[in-house]
Amino acid sequence: MSLAVFQHVLSRLVTSPPFRAQVAESPAEALAPFDLTGRERGRLEAITRDSGLRTGTMIHRSFRLSMLTNTLPCTCKALGAEGIKEIVHAYWLEQPSRSLLYVQEGLRFGAWALPRLRQGLGGIGGNPLLPEVLEAEVAMLELSRQEIWDTPPPPPQETGDTLEGLVPRLHPYLRVIRFRRDPDVVMRELGAGRMPEGLPEGEHYLLVRSTAPGKVDFGQAPPEAGRVLYACAGEVPPGPFDEEGEERVREMVEEGFLVLVRG
Amino acid sequence: MRDNLTAPSSSSSSLDHRGDRLSSLPRLGVGLSYQGTLRDFVLEHPQSYDFLEIIPDMFWVDRGPAAPEAQPRYLESVDAPDLLGRVRDLGKPLIGHSIGLSIGSAELFDPAHVEQVASWQRRYGFPWHSDHLSFNRLEEHTGESLDIGFTMPVPYDEEVLEMLASRVEHVQSRNPAPFLLENNVYYFRIPEQDLSEAEFLNRLTARTGCGLLLDLHNVHVNATNHGFDPWEFLGDLDLTRVVEIHLGGGFSLDGVYLDAHSGPCPDEVWKLLREVLPKAPNVKGVVFEVFGGYFQGMGAEGVIGELAKAREIFATAGPAA
């Protein structure tokens, strides 16, 4: 059914300014690959010249951007207008809009952007706040999803006399993000629309936890506890622990921050 | 090529039945379109509106056709029953205005979405329900879906009329409440269409018996941006098919007036409401729409003011109760 092809091409004219430019410059060549009727080709050529098409693009992009500003507000503030232009536009060109679901889109952008920011994408990647802020907001989004509670949380565990053969891992409803600057100040300032400046570097750990379906709490952990939790979240299981370390692990298991799994 | 067929005779028994079906709907009055930021307003100012229009898609996560079999496709918000129950306890009917059907998508029609909306109609007793005459979703050859994020226009062609008629009939076969389609806003024109927008809507509603959700702000946006008198459209439209009217506000950006749902209705839309109502004997509800992000700018008093004005016009110019 060529109506389907027509709709695909029309949608691409809206979502891709480079494609629109190609069609505007050489309509016969740009539309040749598509199985369209003569009337459909004529319509698409006319629409390409219609100034309203740019309005469609603006609305489409506004909608996509609103999904990110709603779900990742601190990240968008930290990016600023130039960062959005560089990073978000690059994301849009690589990753078409798939869903009206704000959380899904925020997570999708986070998965795409985080490794690039850690590698320093362009000049904006040099903003030291960005990867940590994005990681924190992605954690909040992940844990805000009701469906994670489809898998019931592990029951409280008793630690017994020994941890031998057991490996402590982060509770599945918990995330720990290492910050180089105080996350309370960073997130508060960005949330208020201000770029934090002049913050001293240090060792900070932000904990994000799902406490009920759709409910998320977050707060800082003391560095000693944060270090242990961060290690337990890593790909390489931590250990062995000295006596003090083992005692700390036991406390965290009993408080529900860690779970013990067979090594 | 214009169609040579005249509109189906209104004397057929099935069409009489359908017309009676719309006219026998309850007259609800003036409603508000629900957005999350309006939650407190809705619960604290129940006297300001007569019914609440919800976008049911806001209250679930659609995991899509590829969702694992062991899990339900639609994950419903745990907050929905409490909020919607409280609204019903306040004596306010609910109606459903979905955004997820994408009825105009050529290669994609989702019966599961139809069933999901039907289940909500059974649960919450929507007197009628509606969706948009447009498309926003497409399917890629990989099987993944694309979503443009706004209502894209369909050509008003015979081929599309056929496609939509069968889909409307499917919706109506699965959901006992009357189904309305909303007229679209379009920022670019599709040339050489078989039918005008009014002809298309008239043919579709006559053929299927579905009703119309007439968005007067959409009419105003289209007339403003494309330089025509709104009555060039409204005068040709069968206004007896209109069950619900939408109102809203917008703003101009770079010379284009946008359907932004950003605030109070412009005077031109109020004027259209006053002029349309006496000609639309089956209008049962008028709904004011404002997007959540703009609610703070309007404030509770601003929304109350719009609802009050709509009530005054509906009472004086609308169909008799």
Side-chain angles (χ1 to χ4, degrees), chain B residues 3 24 48 70 80 97-98 121 144 148 170 188 209 214 226 234 249 264:
Chain B
D3 174 59
S24 64
S48 66
H97 179 56
S98 177
Q121 190 278 325
E144 288 185 283
I148 310 303
H170 176 85
F188 52 85
L214 178 60
H226 301 290
L234 292 168

Side-chain angles (χ1 to χ4, degrees), chain B residues 6-45:
Chain B
T6 56
S9 165
S10 60
S11 64
S12 71
S13 59
S14 61
L15 287 172
D16 282 344
H17 172 68
R18 286 163 169 172
D20 284 344
R21 197 163 176 243
L22 298 183
S23 65
S24 64
L25 285 169
R27 186 175 188 274
L28 298 185
V30 169
L32 179 63
S33 176
Y34 180 73
Q35 299 269 304
T37 50
L38 290 167
R39 182 191 169 99
D40 289 345
F41 176 89
V42 160
L43 296 174
E44 291 169 9
H45 299 281

Side-chain angles (χ1 to χ4, degrees), chain A residues 7-8 39 43 60 97-98, chain B residues 106-107 147-148 192 194:
Chain A
Q7 289 181 339
H8 271 276
R39 181 164 75 163
R43 283 174 166 174
H60 166 73
S97 171
R98 298 224 177 271
Chain B
E107 65 197 339
D147 199 314
I148 310 303
E192 294 182 21
D194 291 345

Side-chain angles (χ1 to χ4, degrees), chain A residues 217-241:
Chain A
D217 280 335
F218 56 92
Q220 277 200 73
E224 309 78 28
R227 249 176 254 133
V228 173
L229 292 170
Y230 193 73
C232 292
E235 287 184 13
V236 176
F241 295 97

